[in-house]
Amino acid sequence: MKTFVDAFKDRDTLVLFLDRFIMALKGPLVIMAVLFSLNVREQGIWYTFISLSALSGIVELGFTSIITQFVSHEYAYLKKKMGF
């Protein structure tokens, strides 16, 4: 069995840990850069762009088909009341 130190001698493991470390640092650095370099209006545009891109990522993962199935299932059991 490999020890913790021996695992870092493997190139793939080292690259994985380095990548995770960079990802952990990237988030706070981007937040600080946005706070200190953009004015309030530009921060709003940045937030909107990031939110829309996150939403499109969820949609690409099949969110649309899940919602469609849920709505279809609920629509099947609807009863009309007073013409509505």
Side-chain angles (χ1 to χ4, degrees):
M1 180 163 50
K2 288 185 174 182
T3 63
F4 189 70
V5 176
D6 290 337
F8 279 108
K9 291 179 183 176
D10 184 26
R11 182 178 184 272
D12 295 334
T13 307
L14 183 62
V15 169
L16 177 72
F17 276 106
L18 183 63
D19 182 50
R20 298 295 178 179
F21 181 72
I22 290 171
M23 284 176 47
L25 289 178
K26 186 174 67 170
L29 287 175
V30 168
I31 290 171
M32 297 306 276
V34 167
L35 285 176
F36 291 119
S37 65
L38 300 178
N39 63 29
V40 175
R41 183 167 186 252
E42 292 168 341
Q43 286 179 14
I45 294 170
W46 174 264
Y47 179 76
T48 303
F49 174 73
I50 295 299
S51 297
L52 288 175
S53 64
L55 182 62
S56 70
I58 291 172
V59 169
E60 288 176 6
L61 291 173
F63 184 70
T64 304
S65 64
I66 293 170
I67 293 298
T68 303
Q69 290 175 6
F70 178 74
V71 169
S72 298
H73 177 265
E74 293 299 318
Y75 183 76
Y77 296 103
L78 286 178
K79 304 283 189 226
K80 288 186 177 183
K81 292 183 179 180
M82 292 185 257
F84 294 104

